[in-house]
Amino acid sequence: MAPPPSSSATTSVQVAVRIRPPTNQDNTNIPARFQRSVLHASSPTTLAVEATSGAPTNAGPASAASAAGAAGKKQVFTFDQVHGPPTTQHAMFTSTAQPLISRFVEGFNCTILAYGQTSSGKTHTMTGVDLDADPSDP
């Protein structure tokens, strides 16, 4: 279920985060030891990032000890909306873009910006399913 949109009366900029679901290509091209997800939608507005469990390879005993202590820490970030991997295109549209359409029709300028690293899901979020792709691949 999509989180409710934040009140547009409090701010003119809202940040929505979408965690891209893994694709069949991810499952075949990424080694199994690297397929663990470290991003989790803790709530409709909170994103948790798990710390990596590896210590630096060139570190001395003091650095290794501090890295081991930090390995269990989780970072938590708050956004206007957080969408987990099962979020559908329709849910994404209705919670983020649809409110902007009515504001645009009223004469306001509106912008949707997709930002992220390569293969993070920007095109998937903005355009949906690639009709030329394998239909069994999410």
Side-chain angles (χ1 to χ4, degrees):
M1 177 174 203
S6 296
S7 171
S8 61
T10 58
T11 182
S12 60
V13 176
Q14 295 185 23
V15 179
V17 175
R18 184 178 196 183
I19 302 171
R20 179 179 66 84
T23 64
N24 287 339
Q25 185 176 4
D26 292 340
N27 295 333
T28 57
N29 293 340
I30 299 173
R33 67 181 183 269
F34 297 121
Q35 290 186 15
R36 182 178 66 93
S37 178
V38 296
L39 297 176
H40 304 284
S42 303
S43 75
T45 60
T46 306
L47 174 73
V49 181
E50 292 179 15
T52 58
S53 59
T57 55
N58 295 344
S63 296
S66 64
K73 290 187 179 179
K74 197 187 320 185
Q75 293 181 315
V76 179
F77 299 94
T78 302
F79 299 94
D80 294 302
Q81 299 177 38
V82 175
H83 301 272
T87 303
T88 63
Q89 288 298 103
H90 184 264
M92 206 52 209
F93 171 77
T94 56
S95 68
T96 58
Q98 193 169 26
L100 294 178
I101 292 172
S102 61
R103 299 293 288 167
F104 177 76
V105 172
E106 293 170 3
F108 292 93
N109 292 327
C110 301
T111 301
I112 297 175
L113 173 70
Y115 178 80
Q117 90 180 55
T118 302
S119 295
S120 62
K122 299 175 299 292
T123 302
H124 172 75
T125 297
M126 295 298 285
T127 63
V129 178
D130 180 4
L131 298 177
D132 296 330
D134 180 8
S136 65
D137 194 13

